[in-house]
Amino acid sequence: MKTQVAIVGGGPGGSTAAMFLAREGIQSVIIEKETFPRYHIGESMSGECGAILRRLGLGDEMLKRGHPIKRGLTVYGTNGKNAWYIPVKGRDENWKLFDQYTWQVRRSDFDKMMLNEAVARGAVVVPGRAAKPLLNEDGSVRGVQVHMEDGGVQDIESELLLDCSGQATFLANAGVTGPKFRGSYDKQIAIFSHVSGAIRQEAPESGNTLIFYKGKYHWAWFIPIDDEIVSVGVVTSAAYFLGTGEDKKDFLIRELRELNPELSQRLPEINLVEDVHVIPNYSYQVQRFTGRGFVCVGDAHRFVDPIFSFGLFVSMREAELLAPVIKAYLSGTGRDAENPFADYQLHTEKGIDILEDLIDTFWENPVAFSVFTHRRYTEQIYDIFAGRLYEHQPSEAILACRKLLKRERLYGAQDEYSVPIGSRFHAERAPIWNNEATVSNTELWMNS
Ligand SMILES: Cc1cc2nc3c(=O)[nH]c(=O)nc-3n(C[C@H](O)[C@H](O)[C@H](O)COP(=O)(O)OP(=O)(O)OC[C@H]3O[C@@H](n4cnc5c(N)ncnc54)[C@H](O)[C@@H]3O)c2cc1C
């Protein structure tokens, strides 16, 4: 089978890429190993994520489907004190802020809608697991080998391979990219499920995200995903979880009761209506994630921390930004360059650096973060929360964060820019390969 662009992964990154490519008149094939609908984490959108859906012409469909409207997020401090609120704000053509809303989604429904929409716009879905990239003698990528759902093997030849495989980091694991480094939030663990009967905020705020802080690196989320169900999750260090000796379900239920009084009063009873899921070691960064014949999008090359719900936006925005770059590439631009996607890589990496600097400031220096957010740089912080990472950046707010973090971002040669911050648990900053776990799966299994 031959295609212009082969896409590994039919999650939001892959479907969005296919839709923006279709707009450019470019044909794509999506390889997806799961049968949709399937459960997935990542249910709250940033403001600019909603804007991408509107640009795709899906705003009315989102409203019709009744996804909860998110107008902002509230963070409750330890013991429910010192709550603060960030509204969802857009920017108009004169760069003036205006009130905006975005959506919360049940990912099984949303991902299926997106994949179906990509197919309706011309993408072809191949059900199967991308097993290995196909390489030319010079190491450039020329396609992907797929182990089909029906047991067969199929080679898909492509002019370009997009890795939208999410945390599976397909091309990094295959050694096609540069090394994969642990991020500063590795050794964190997220344990989560869905509940019914939770008490949400009053309308029109009833769809908003609530975040509950317990202590450093220890927090919970509350995200309404339809009229009845709320997604809840606890994030903490894996060592703390293992130290309790509890299984994941008991741990989640106890934490939801004890973590923060503002959370427990919203859960008079804890009725879990979904399995309890666990994700450890979600924080990493892959270097050289673009090259000859390939580009990694979103989680397939970097994920920092889920605290302020940036993941969906980053994957979908990178996919959107990539479409015109691919169009130029397919018509010959940069074909013979050492890395035809070097500019795109730098541009998108700079965007995630901004998120990382904001998140690190929140964790490392909450008092300064609060001053920046509420007094000094309020509008600029609204911009970052919405996902305006690629324009008017780095803002004064981000430069102040960097100063506080004693962090210089130098954007020089490929291997020098966006130097991975590395893990606070692994001072040596050694790369990891083959998704080597930092918390052993046996430990997790024993506790599950
Ligand atoms: C605890 C936690 C909470 C989060 N909460 C939020 C949130 O509230 N809001 C938010 O925006 N983000 C959140 N995220 C991040 C969000 O889940 C991801 O950023 C988002 O799903 C990335 O989309 P994607 O399309 O890049 O990857 P994915 O959604 O992971 O999709 C990848 C797809 O690729 C397929 N695939 C993988 N490997 C292969 C293969 N070899 N062959 C074929 N198919 C393959 C998978 O089956 C999957 O369907 C959270 C993350 C974590 C860890």
Side-chain angles (χ1 to χ4, degrees):
M1 184 176 195
K2 277 195 174 169
T3 180
Q4 285 179 296
V5 180
I7 302 174
V8 176
S15 309
T16 304
M19 283 189 253
F20 280 110
L21 287 172
R23 246 185 211 186
E24 302 283 2
I26 298 164
Q27 166 212 16
S28 66
V29 168
I30 300 175
I31 301 115
E32 173 55 56
K33 66 181 170 60
E34 302 277 346
T35 306
F36 285 18
R38 52 91 177 95
Y39 177 87
H40 202 293
I41 192 59
E43 297 145 321
S44 182
M45 295 188 174
S46 77
E48 291 295 323
C49 191
I52 297 171
L53 290 170
R54 292 185 187 99
R55 287 197 288 276
L56 281 171
L58 293 169
D60 288 345
E61 183 64 22
M62 293 296 288
L63 290 173
K64 204 169 88 194
R65 285 169 176 256
H67 294 293
I69 300 283
K70 172 183 172 185
R71 297 177 197 279
L73 69 88
T74 299
V75 180
Y76 292 92
T78 312
N79 296 323
K81 295 189 182 125
N82 303 323
W84 48 274
Y85 177 67
I86 302 272
V88 173
K89 293 273 188 186
R91 288 271 186 190
D92 66 16
E93 57 281 3
N94 301 314
W95 205 244
K96 285 265 174 304
L97 286 174
F98 65 93
D99 288 336
Q100 183 54 293
Y101 64 83
T102 184
W103 290 280
Q104 316 278 25
V105 291
R106 181 195 293 272
R107 284 287 301 271
S108 49
D109 297 340
F110 175 71
D111 290 14
K112 187 165 192 285
M113 174 197 87
M114 292 290 280
L115 192 56
N116 287 348
E117 197 59 39
V119 171
R121 298 178 191 197
V124 171
V125 175
V126 169
R129 183 176 62 83
K132 62 169 189 187
L134 303 172
L135 303 180
N136 293 312
E137 272 178 12
D138 64 359
S140 60
V141 177
R142 65 174 170 83
V144 58
Q145 185 168 87
V146 183
H147 288 183
M148 304 289 288
E149 212 172 62
D150 63 10
V153 174
Q154 181 168 181
D155 284 355
I156 300 180
E157 303 274 341
S158 61
E159 292 187 61
L160 190 66
L161 181 67
L162 301 192
D163 180 1
C164 299
S165 66
Q167 297 238 340
T169 59
F170 172 66
L171 285 180
N173 286 0
V176 169
T177 64
K180 176 176 174 180
F181 287 85
R182 295 182 171 99
S184 25
Y185 304 94
D186 84 321
K187 290 218 171 181
Q188 287 284 92
I189 192 166
I191 301 179
F192 43 93
S193 185
H194 291 161
V195 295
S196 64
I199 302 170
R200 46 189 88 187
Q201 292 183 302
E202 295 292 320
E205 255 70 55
S206 50
N208 284 2
T209 296
L210 308 179
I211 291 171
F212 304 91
Y213 189 90
K214 162 93 182 197
K216 201 169 182 187
Y217 313 131
H218 191 168
W219 58 283
W221 76 71
F222 181 104
I223 299 171
I225 56 164
D226 66 19
D227 288 347
E228 176 58 25
I229 308 299
V230 173
S231 165
V232 287
V234 172
V235 183
T236 186
S237 75
Y240 168 73
F241 165 63
L242 293 171
T244 65
E246 292 167 325
D247 70 23
K248 60 187 179 181
K249 186 173 172 192
D250 289 348
F251 176 88
L252 179 63
I253 291 175
R254 184 190 50 70
E255 284 282 316
L256 292 174
R257 290 210 174 102
E258 294 175 2
L259 190 139
N260 192 301
E262 280 291 333
L263 173 58
S264 38
Q265 73 177 27
R266 294 191 177 277
L267 301 168
E269 280 178 51
I270 299 176
N271 302 316
L272 298 180
V273 294
E274 168 63 48
D275 289 345
V276 176
H277 300 266
V278 180
I279 300 188
N281 313 316
Y282 49 65
S283 186
Y284 52 83
Q285 179 172 356
V286 174
Q287 284 194 315
R288 295 196 301 279
F289 59 91
T290 66
R292 296 181 76 178
F294 74 95
V295 176
C296 303
V297 172
D299 278 24
H301 69 91
R302 189 166 173 189
F303 188 73
V304 179
D305 186 72
I307 178 89
F308 297 135
S309 305
F310 291 124
L312 274 173
F313 165 73
V314 169
S315 288
M316 291 167 63
R317 180 69 177 136
E318 288 189 1
E320 180 179 19
L321 290 168
L322 188 54
V325 178
I326 293 178
K327 184 171 189 197
Y329 171 77
L330 292 179
S331 54
T333 308
R335 273 282 173 146
D336 301 322
E338 198 185 325
N339 180 0
F341 305 100
D343 291 347
Y344 167 84
Q345 178 175 269
L346 179 58
H347 190 58
T348 52
E349 195 83 293
K350 279 181 173 177
I352 307 183
D353 284 349
I354 284 167
L355 295 182
E356 186 168 60
D357 296 338
L358 182 85
I359 292 169
D360 287 353
T361 304
F362 170 75
W363 285 120
E364 303 305 325
N365 224 316
V367 176
F369 182 89
S370 169
V371 173
F372 292 173
T373 304
H374 306 299
R375 294 203 208 135
R376 209 169 290 167
Y377 306 116
T378 306
E379 297 196 349
Q380 295 175 11
I381 300 280
Y382 289 172
D383 284 334
I384 301 170
F385 269 83
R388 285 182 287 279
L389 312 177
Y390 309 95
E391 52 276 284
H392 299 262
Q393 297 287 2
S395 60
E396 285 174 8
I398 279 302
L399 294 176
C401 289
R402 288 182 184 163
K403 199 164 166 200
L404 213 65
L405 294 164
K406 299 191 174 54
R407 182 173 297 166
E408 224 181 326
R409 295 282 191 184
L410 297 172
Y411 294 102
Q414 266 215 95
D415 272 347
E416 289 164 17
Y417 72 74
S418 191
V419 174
I421 302 302
S423 159
R424 60 182 189 279
F425 295 101
H426 300 273
E428 75 282 7
R429 288 190 193 174
I432 42 174
W433 296 104
N434 298 323
N435 256 357
E436 161 205 338
T438 49
V439 179
S440 88
N441 291 333
T442 320
E443 280 176 302
L444 280 178
W445 174 78
M446 286 170 64
N447 282 272
S448 300

